[in-house]
Amino acid sequence: MTLTQLRYLVAIADAGLNITLAAERVHATQPGLSKLLKQLEDELGFQLFHRKGRSLDSITHAGSHVLERARTILAEATNIRSIAANLRNESHGTLRVATTHTQARFALPGAVAALNRQYPQVSVHLLPSTDGDVIGLLEGGHVDLAIVSTSGTAPPGNGIALPAYRWNRIVVVPEHHALAQLERPPTLDELAAHPLVSYDSSLKPTSSLARAFHAANLHPQIAMTASDADLIKTYVRAGLGIGVLAEMASAPGDADLRVLSADHLFAPCTTWIVLRKESVLREYALEFIGLFAPHLERRAVSRVLAGGGGATHWPAVPHWRERVVEV
């Protein structure tokens, strides 16, 4: 049994049992991956997957147990490599971050640029994904950390969630829109009278946007959703409706749009940095966390990771408008 076999096993599971896709992700050939999987099954003495013809249909009961242990072994192998690299004071490597399009586009550039100045040999790979996929990428071992937002408590899952900053929603409308002529912030009733364009997550019952309208017994028309804030603004300009966005998504190039406050309408949200429990981070990963969320002190983060639990008393979490990040 080898780490490569276990890595291929996990890749197949994470690719939805699509061997072709799994082979692409691990930079292997499909026949080579299938051969190593067969060798692993022969060594173990049972099948890891149910098959239909030449395709994999589902994971066997025994296979699910092996898969769980394989993930643990691969995570520990990664930890050992990180420990060794830190002890050698290596300043090169790769930082993989799963996050949403809004965070990648508007919140992360300053911290990534600052990290690049301090660690020019570190390559940063951002994986912009939907809210629902971000945590899965972390738990599957595909990234070193995840950055995701919620409108309530910490995101679900087994990771350690560190609060990075708080933020509110804004409403964006074309400059000649009726709501732009108001001399006060709009009400929920006024928003509900127009088609809305917002994030995919706004359709979830747990969204603070959905909860606010539900509490007021209002049922607005959702004309369109997207995961990309720039796309939402594009379709607001096209006249599909009024946009409801994270305030970070307001940019200097949006001079043709009017930004209206929605602080009084929707509950604030929190952006979290999520880490795998008991993971060993490279020094540059800890530095990145400090650059993105300066109130998260490095030794405290390392202590929480070593203990595998969450901290209950982080310093006051700054609001987006108060946040200071080196650029």
Side-chain angles (χ1 to χ4, degrees):
M1 186 185 304
T2 66
L3 288 177
T4 298
Q5 288 174 317
L6 298 183
R7 186 163 63 92
Y8 286 2
L9 170 64
V10 170
I12 292 171
D14 290 344
L17 309 190
N18 184 324
I19 292 184
T20 301
L21 177 58
E24 291 175 0
R25 289 179 174 178
V26 297
H27 307 292
T29 64
Q30 181 177 339
L33 189 149
S34 298
K35 179 181 178 180
L36 285 186
L37 173 62
K38 181 65 168 55
Q39 290 175 349
L40 179 60
E41 289 182 321
D42 289 344
E43 179 180 348
L44 295 175
F46 53 77
Q47 287 193 335
L48 298 168
F49 300 96
H50 295 295
R51 289 166 169 82
K52 281 189 176 180
R54 295 184 177 181
S55 300
L56 303 182
D57 182 59
S58 61
I59 302 174
T60 65
H61 178 70
S64 65
H65 288 289
V66 174
L67 181 62
E68 180 182 357
R69 296 297 179 180
R71 292 189 189 278
T72 300
I73 291 168
L74 292 174
E76 285 304 312
T78 299
N79 284 343
I80 290 171
R81 294 188 186 99
S82 294
I83 291 171
N86 287 340
L87 290 174
R88 293 194 299 266
N89 293 317
E90 287 186 0
S91 58
H92 59 84
T94 301
L95 177 64
R96 301 164 300 163
V97 181
T99 188
T100 62
H101 287 81
T102 295
Q103 299 294 330
R105 167 71 173 82
F106 300 101
L108 284 173
V112 172
L115 182 72
N116 178 257
R117 288 193 294 273
Q118 295 187 33
Y119 290 89
Q121 293 181 295
V122 170
S123 175
V124 178
H125 291 277
L126 298 181
L127 282 75
S129 307
T130 64
D131 284 319
D133 292 338
V134 168
I135 298 300
L137 288 168
L138 177 72
E139 293 181 343
H142 303 292
V143 295
D144 303 299
L145 57 90
I147 297 176
V148 68
S149 299
T150 68
S151 58
T153 57
N158 298 319
I160 298 171
L162 314 177
Y165 64 91
R166 296 173 292 111
W167 53 272
N168 289 82
R169 284 184 167 85
I170 56 173
V171 175
V172 293
V173 298
E175 55 184 344
H176 298 301
H177 192 277
L179 292 181
Q181 313 311 312
L182 296 176
E183 297 182 357
R184 54 169 174 77
T187 65
L188 272 182
D189 293 85
E190 289 168 334
L191 293 190
H194 300 274
L196 302 184
V197 183
S198 191
Y199 297 109
D200 297 332
S201 58
S202 64
L203 297 175
K204 298 179 180 178
T206 54
S207 163
S208 61
L209 184 146
R211 292 203 310 265
F213 283 115
H214 178 76
N217 198 29
L218 296 170
H219 306 282
Q221 175 195 354
I222 306 295
M224 178 184 169
T225 65
S227 59
D228 188 323
D230 286 323
L231 273 179
I232 292 172
K233 288 184 284 188
T234 294
Y235 284 93
V236 169
R237 293 183 175 102
L240 263 71
I242 62 176
V244 183
L245 296 169
E247 63 180 314
M248 302 86 72
S250 178
D254 299 331
D256 59 326
L257 297 175
R258 283 287 303 277
V259 176
L260 310 176
S261 173
D263 290 4
H264 59 302
L265 300 179
F266 307 112
C269 298
T270 300
T271 292
W272 307 83
I273 300 169
V274 188
L275 309 171
R276 288 190 301 277
K277 288 184 178 180
E278 299 182 358
S279 60
V280 177
L281 294 182
R282 296 288 301 273
E283 289 297 322
Y284 53 74
L286 289 169
E287 183 66 23
F288 175 79
I289 291 172
L291 291 167
F292 185 64
H295 65 286
L296 297 176
E297 198 272 331
R298 177 189 291 218
R299 284 178 296 180
V301 172
S302 298
R303 194 161 51 244
V304 170
L305 280 171
T312 56
H313 298 293
W314 292 105
V317 182
H319 195 277
W320 170 258
R321 301 161 202 169
E322 310 161 343
R323 186 168 167 264
V324 177
V325 176
E326 182 181 348
V327 293

